Amino acid sequence: MFPAVALLALSYFAIAYGQQVGTLTAENHPKLSIQQCSGKNNCQTQQRSIVLDSNWRWLHSTSGSNNCYTGNTWDTSLCPDPATCAKNCALDGADYSGTYGITTSGNALTLKFVTHGPYSTNIGSRVYLLDGSDAKYQQFNLKNQEFTFDIDMSKLPCGLNGALYFVEMDADGGLSRFPTNKAGAKYGTGYCDTQCPHDIKFINGEASAFCSRCARDTLTPTLQANVLGWQPSDSDPNAGKGQYGACCNEMDVWEANSMGAAYTPHVCSVQGQTRCQGNDCGDGDNRYGGICDKDGCDFNSWRMGDQTFLGPGKTVDTSQKFTVVTQFLTNNNQTSGALSEIRRLYVQNGKVIANSKTKIPGMDAYDSITDQFCNAQKQAFGDNNSFEKLGGLKQMGAAFEKGMTLVMSIWDDHEAKMLWLDSEYPLDKDPSQPGVSRGPCPRTSGDPKDVESQSPDATVVFSNIKFGPIGSTY
């Protein structure tokens, strides 16, 4: 994901010094079937489930139902400091459909944008795929493999993002690495990505608040961390940012709405979920000085010069459901090789559709992501090549070797209004300059207030997930 965004949720809480589990709402994971393929027309169904990210969950008093956090403000009587907050507050189960607008049916997952629940209004959601144990995230190594799913995003307008991607989260949500984490993957803990988000409630089971002497998680945290260091968002009444960020490698297989789409590898100089602070997080003007590549190397057909390829009524018609196939090729065509190419194709109405080709002055006609494509794109667009600096596709492949977690989400963007995906971005550049135009949406689109009020019923449906050797899933 391009900007350092704050995903909206039922409530966002600053990060306490532990993760206790509440008992007021039962946690029942919605079932979702997927298929693992061994060859063409030879796929086996696996019964799995999904779990809601911990950031969306209710954090309340362990002795009752009083909120530990309301809007973007702590209850200072329950949370005067991190240690007391951990003692007083518990993370609880979720009403997936009633509160969050999350439903499953067979192999289909539907995420609704705005849900008016019995006690609150929820905006967006983020879920992870659990493995057969129902207590750990399913881990994927897609080197020399392909990953396929069907998508219906016909009801996703400008300013929204129905995303499917992989991040290098701990399989158990940090349960074994961090003894203060009592919730784990069963309650959706341990999120990280290359934006090094500061809005995560729990990072390493500890407080995301001010700590003047703490650096990355290689150091022992001090008890100077303080919930009063949490900074509420100026634009988002539910969000805030703490001192720490949560960083890890990220493969954006699909970021899209009905008007545009991109797939983008992002890499970090570290492996696995890593807590950052200060310069390592790459915040603000230090965007390219951190440990992760926030821009990534994106293939967006519109941005790469073909404005007729994807959208309503176009070659890939987003007014209808279609299949997205992503192939992760290696330099020796084996899982032991280095990741060397990420290829994309589509299937719609029984027709296989090859990816569009670049039509940018000074670039060859690329139709996939390679290190050569990334270098040529960065040069043509005048962009910083932090992707190459931090390891490129080889580093992305190394993350897959470690194992990556599947994420599916729907969200709007308080930082950049999703213009980086579907409009012109950045706004201070001439839109005729190569790489600035990324989609047909107006420059004034994507304001979360407008999107939430005008498109509350927006939905995205992910279905028919398959993975296996190249050529086996479609």
Side-chain angles (χ1 to χ4, degrees), residues 40 146 148 309 315-317 321-327 343-356 367 471-474:
K40 193 74 170 179
E146 66 185 26
T148 297
F309 184 70
T315 303
V316 177
D317 184 0
K321 183 168 72 173
F322 55 93
T323 301
V324 180
V325 182
T326 310
Q327 300 174 328
R343 189 179 295 168
R344 165 61 51 82
L345 56 89
Y346 302 88
V347 183
Q348 190 169 42
N349 298 323
K351 178 184 177 181
V352 177
I353 303 170
N355 195 25
S356 63
D367 61 2
S472 66
T473 65
Y474 69 97

Side-chain angles (χ1 to χ4, degrees), residues 254-290:
W254 188 250
E255 291 196 280
N257 56 45
S258 60
M259 306 307 292
Y263 73 106
T264 311
H266 301 257
V267 294
C268 302
S269 61
V270 296
Q271 292 231 307
Q273 181 270 335
T274 300
R275 186 182 67 190
C276 74
Q277 183 190 8
N279 288 338
D280 282 349
C281 299
D283 298 327
D285 293 339
N286 190 48
R287 181 177 183 86
Y288 302 107

Side-chain angles (χ1 to χ4, degrees), residues 368-379:
S368 65
I369 293 176
T370 62
D371 285 331
Q372 292 74 22
F373 161 80
C374 296
N375 293 340
Q377 182 212 57
K378 299 295 185 182
Q379 183 174 357

Side-chain angles (χ1 to χ4, degrees), residues 62-95:
T62 55
S63 60
S65 58
N66 292 333
N67 292 338
C68 290
Y69 187 93
T70 302
N72 56 19
T73 304
W74 281 98
D75 183 325
T76 55
S77 64
L78 290 169
C79 291
D81 58 75
T84 304
C85 193
K87 177 182 177 182
N88 289 342
C89 300
L91 193 68
D92 222 311
D95 176 357

Side-chain angles (χ1 to χ4, degrees), residues 127-374:
V127 300
Y128 312 118
L129 184 71
L130 293 170
D131 67 13
S133 72
D134 204 43
K136 290 185 176 182
Y137 304 129
Q138 176 135 345
Q139 297 296 282
F140 288 86
N141 178 4
L142 294 177
K143 287 174 57 179
N144 201 42
Q145 302 277 294
E146 66 185 26
F147 184 92
T148 297
F149 62 96
D150 293 348
I151 182 75
D152 184 346
M153 58 180 190
S154 58
K155 296 181 179 179
L156 282 185
C158 297
L160 282 177
N161 191 336
L164 183 150
Y165 58 107
F166 294 91
V167 294
E168 204 177 8
M169 297 166 65
D170 290 350
D172 64 1
L175 200 64
S176 59
R177 273 210 296 159
F178 309 111
T180 51
N181 182 347
K182 306 300 182 184
K186 184 178 179 181
Y187 288 85
T189 66
Y191 183 73
C192 55
D193 64 37
T194 47
Q195 303 305 315
C196 299
H198 289 260
D199 60 349
I200 307 302
K201 289 186 300 184
F202 296 101
I203 301 176
N204 299 4
E206 297 159 359
S208 179
F210 182 75
C211 176
S212 61
R213 294 186 294 172
C214 299
R216 293 213 297 263
D217 59 10
T218 52
L219 296 182
T220 302
T222 77
L223 291 178
Q224 291 184 339
N226 192 330
V227 295
L228 297 180
W230 179 264
Q231 297 296 317
S233 168
D234 292 332
S235 63
D236 185 347
N238 298 308
K241 294 181 179 180
Q243 186 76 4
Y244 299 137
C247 310
C248 65
N249 290 285
E250 173 183 358
M251 176 64 222
D252 292 329
V253 172
W254 188 250
E255 291 196 280
N257 56 45
S258 60
M259 306 307 292
Y263 73 106
T264 311
H266 301 257
V267 294
C268 302
S269 61
V270 296
Q271 292 231 307
Q273 181 270 335
T274 300
R275 186 182 67 190
C276 74
Q277 183 190 8
N279 288 338
D280 282 349
C281 299
D283 298 327
D285 293 339
N286 190 48
R287 181 177 183 86
Y288 302 107
I291 60 176
C292 291
D293 162 41
K294 296 191 174 188
D295 290 1
C297 174
D298 65 300
F299 198 111
N300 172 333
S301 294
W302 180 289
R303 189 182 189 217
M304 298 316 302
D306 190 339
Q307 300 182 0
T308 68
F309 184 70
L310 185 143
K314 297 184 178 181
T315 303
V316 177
D317 184 0
T318 59
S319 68
Q320 306 176 45
K321 183 168 72 173
F322 55 93
T323 301
V324 180
V325 182
T326 310
Q327 300 174 328
F328 297 86
L329 284 70
T330 63
N331 60 358
N332 64 359
N333 296 319
Q334 298 180 28
T335 57
S336 62
L339 182 65
S340 59
E341 182 180 8
I342 306 174
R343 189 179 295 168
R344 165 61 51 82
L345 56 89
Y346 302 88
V347 183
Q348 190 169 42
N349 298 323
K351 178 184 177 181
V352 177
I353 303 170
N355 195 25
S356 63
K357 294 183 182 294
T358 57
K359 300 177 182 178
I360 299 295
M363 290 187 68
D364 293 337
Y366 295 97
D367 61 2
S368 65
I369 293 176
T370 62
D371 285 331
Q372 292 74 22
F373 161 80
C374 296

